Amino acid sequence: MARFTNRSFSVVLHIFQLMLFYNFSISGAVLTYDGCMSDSANSYKVGGWCFLFYTDPSWPPNTPTQNDAQYTCLPHGTLAVGVTSKMLNTFITRTPPATNPHAWTALERLNRSTPTNMDGWYWRALMPSGGFATFPTIKANFPWGTADPDNSNGNDTAAVLVNNYGYGDAPKAYPKSIYGNKQMAVICQFAPIQWKYLPRGHGRFANSAYQIAQTTVTKLACIIQCHRSVSCISLAFNPTTNDCQIYAVSPDDPQFTGSVTTDNSYDWYIRDEMKY
Ligand SMILES: *[C@@H]1O[C@H](CO)[C@@H](O)[C@H](O)[C@H]1NC(C)=O
Ligand SMILES: *[C@@H]1O[C@H](CO)[C@@H](O)[C@H](O)[C@H]1NC(C)=O
């Protein structure tokens, strides 16, 4: 991402910072599902998950790096995976405009040997177990800012979400020499203990780009597999063969409805309360 110019909020900035200190001191640092749910000004609920826009005024400028941000939401959550366009777009306008913090999510560019800068992007979230959950982004689902991704530094391997702009690619260290002093933020993703999966007719996706995993397991194990994934929003299960396919998109999402393969041997189960 090219250098992002500072907004001219300098007059009110000082007052706002004092207010933010106060707000964060009463509500801050509750990095749990319940903490996220109780901070409605900074959170958004979709598909049972609670997503929290979180920053701490005591963080030095340009910290955490994206690598360190991976640890910020642990052990109760992870860096956010953009589960739908609606979720991603919601946060573009929900970030606090006064300090305009630039927010890390689990978005990383793992392959730079690609035809364009739009390719090679993955959601890569450090899980409480210590491993990474990795899944390629689906381009149709993605709100880049107008000039991005441009790989303007040659090593823009992560991306920040900028208020009223969208995503811009940047080095994971977000260097001051390029971007100036910036208050950073993270978007965390928290799962509740339980939620519902509703059966919704028959069919499956044949496009492998939408599939997180395919296994042969019982229906319950299939649903648990989706439930534990930070990216899964629907699954197709074949009760005769026990074929379980979990997906990062939903047949209910108008962007992907047209890609559904008619197949009466598979039952759809869809995360409740999804918004597309
Ligand atoms: C990176 O992307 C290129 C072009 O799509 C592909 O040929 C190559 O196999 C990819 N590399 C890795 C390590 O996935
Ligand atoms: C890569 O990014 C770092 C900051 O994270 C910067 O200092 C360095 O110059 C960059 N290297 C290249 C090759 O662009």
Side-chain angles (χ1 to χ4, degrees):
M1 178 173 74
R3 185 196 173 89
F4 211 86
T5 51
N6 265 324
R7 308 282 178 89
S8 50
F9 284 113
S10 50
V11 179
V12 289
L13 190 62
H14 186 65
I15 298 163
F16 259 97
Q17 274 176 339
L18 290 174
M19 288 169 63
L20 287 169
F21 265 96
Y22 178 68
N23 279 335
F24 282 115
S25 67
I26 51 171
S27 70
V30 190
L31 294 173
T32 61
Y33 177 79
D34 290 344
C36 179
M37 290 297 286
S38 65
D39 188 359
S40 57
N42 296 299
S43 68
Y44 175 66
K45 191 172 179 248
V46 64
W49 286 295
C50 186
F51 293 89
L52 179 69
F53 187 95
Y54 177 71
T55 185
D56 181 334
S58 72
W59 287 346
N62 305 54
T63 68
T65 65
Q66 204 266 357
N67 281 337
D68 291 342
Q70 287 280 6
Y71 296 88
T72 314
C73 312
L74 296 180
H76 304 292
T78 66
L79 272 188
V81 162
V83 288
T84 61
S85 303
K86 172 124 189 200
M87 178 254 153
L88 289 166
N89 283 302
T90 296
F91 276 108
I92 293 174
T93 53
R94 286 284 290 282
T95 65
T99 51
N100 191 22
H102 290 194
W104 296 118
T105 58
L107 187 63
E108 293 185 28
R109 190 167 184 203
L110 300 182
N111 184 352
R112 282 183 285 162
S113 308
T114 56
T116 77
N117 292 328
M118 292 274 183
D119 307 301
W121 289 92
Y122 289 73
W123 297 110
R124 180 172 176 267
L126 180 60
M127 303 297 286
S129 61
F132 282 90
T134 304
F135 190 71
T137 59
I138 293 162
K139 276 194 266 184
N141 217 355
F142 212 81
W144 289 108
T146 44
D148 281 291
D150 61 2
N151 196 27
S152 60
N153 304 292
N155 61 356
D156 292 0
T157 54
V160 284
L161 182 65
V162 179
N163 185 52
N164 284 331
Y165 177 70
Y167 276 89
D169 59 351
K172 289 182 165 193
Y174 216 64
K176 291 180 193 175
S177 57
I178 302 171
Y179 297 104
N181 279 1
K182 278 287 179 306
Q183 177 73 35
M184 304 307 287
V186 293
I187 302 177
C188 296
Q189 177 172 356
F190 300 99
I193 301 300
Q194 60 179 7
W195 63 71
K196 286 185 285 190
Y197 290 77
L198 301 178
R200 195 88 51 90
H202 307 284
R204 62 185 168 82
F205 285 118
N207 186 341
S208 62
Y210 302 160
Q211 191 180 95
I212 300 166
Q214 179 174 21
T215 49
T216 306
V217 291
T218 63
K219 183 175 86 180
L220 181 62
C222 188
I223 290 173
I224 290 172
Q225 210 179 100
C226 183
H227 179 76
R228 287 187 175 153
S229 163
V230 287
S231 302
C232 179
I233 60 179
S234 76
L235 64 92
F237 181 73
N238 183 324
T240 309
T241 62
N242 281 355
D243 186 37
C244 162
Q245 302 185 11
I246 68 171
Y247 304 117
V249 300
S250 165
D252 283 354
D253 185 338
Q255 276 190 96
F256 303 104
T257 303
S259 308
V260 165
T261 297
T262 305
D263 188 337
N264 282 334
S265 58
Y266 285 80
D267 301 330
W268 287 115
Y269 290 85
I270 297 167
R271 251 187 220 271
D272 201 17
E273 298 176 51
M274 286 306 306
K275 293 171 196 157
Y276 305 108

